[in-house]
Amino acid sequence: IRSTGKVGEEGDQNGYYWKVVVGILIEFTGQEKYEIHDFLKAKFLKERQITMGKSSVNADGSTRLLTTVEFEEYCAKIRVWALTDFDNPIKIPLPNEVSWGEEQ
C-alpha cells in the first residue's frame, strides 16, 4: 500500500507525485493539474476491464490501485517521457533529489 500523501509520511509517493511531478508539468505546460493527471494515466497506465452483471466496460488505469513499486515505475516512465517528448526537455527530479511539503 502506498502513502496517502500526508506531509511527513514515510514514502510520501502521492506528495511527490502531486507537488513535484505534476507541479513541474503545470509550470512547463500551463495545463490544469487534473488534465495532466488524466493525460498521464491515459498514456502510462493500462486500462482495466470491470464487469457488473452482464455488462463490461473498459476503465482508465488508476494510480490508487498501484503498489509502491508500480507507482515508482509509473513515475519513472513520466520522468523519461518529460525528458524526451518536449522540444525543451523537462527534468523531473527523483524523489531523493528534492523535498516537498509544508516543512519547506
Side-chain angles (χ1 to χ4, degrees), residues 44-60:
F44 297 109
L45 294 180
K46 295 178 183 174
E47 286 185 347
R48 64 194 195 290
Q49 190 172 57
I50 300 171
T51 302
M52 286 193 210
K54 295 178 183 175
S55 301
S56 290
V57 297
N58 288 330
D60 291 339

Side-chain angles (χ1 to χ4, degrees), residues 26-68:
I26 288 169
E27 267 183 60
F28 280 88
T29 67
Q31 301 290 112
E32 298 291 327
K33 75 177 183 176
Y34 289 110
E35 287 178 323
I36 291 171
H37 180 58
D38 289 343
F39 175 88
L40 295 173
K41 289 190 310 179
K43 182 158 183 64
F44 297 109
L45 294 180
K46 295 178 183 174
E47 286 185 347
R48 64 194 195 290
Q49 190 172 57
I50 300 171
T51 302
M52 286 193 210
K54 295 178 183 175
S55 301
S56 290
V57 297
N58 288 330
D60 291 339
S62 173
T63 57
R64 285 188 328 251
L65 302 175
L66 299 178
T67 66
T68 301

Side-chain angles (χ1 to χ4, degrees), residues 54-92:
K54 295 178 183 175
S55 301
S56 290
V57 297
N58 288 330
D60 291 339
S62 173
T63 57
R64 285 188 328 251
L65 302 175
L66 299 178
T67 66
T68 301
V69 171
E70 290 168 337
F71 195 80
E72 175 47 35
E73 290 169 350
Y74 171 66
C75 289
K77 290 175 186 175
I78 295 167
R79 289 190 297 266
V80 170
W81 165 80
L83 281 172
T84 59
D85 204 59
F86 292 87
D87 291 334
N88 294 315
I90 301 171
K91 180 167 185 338
I92 299 173

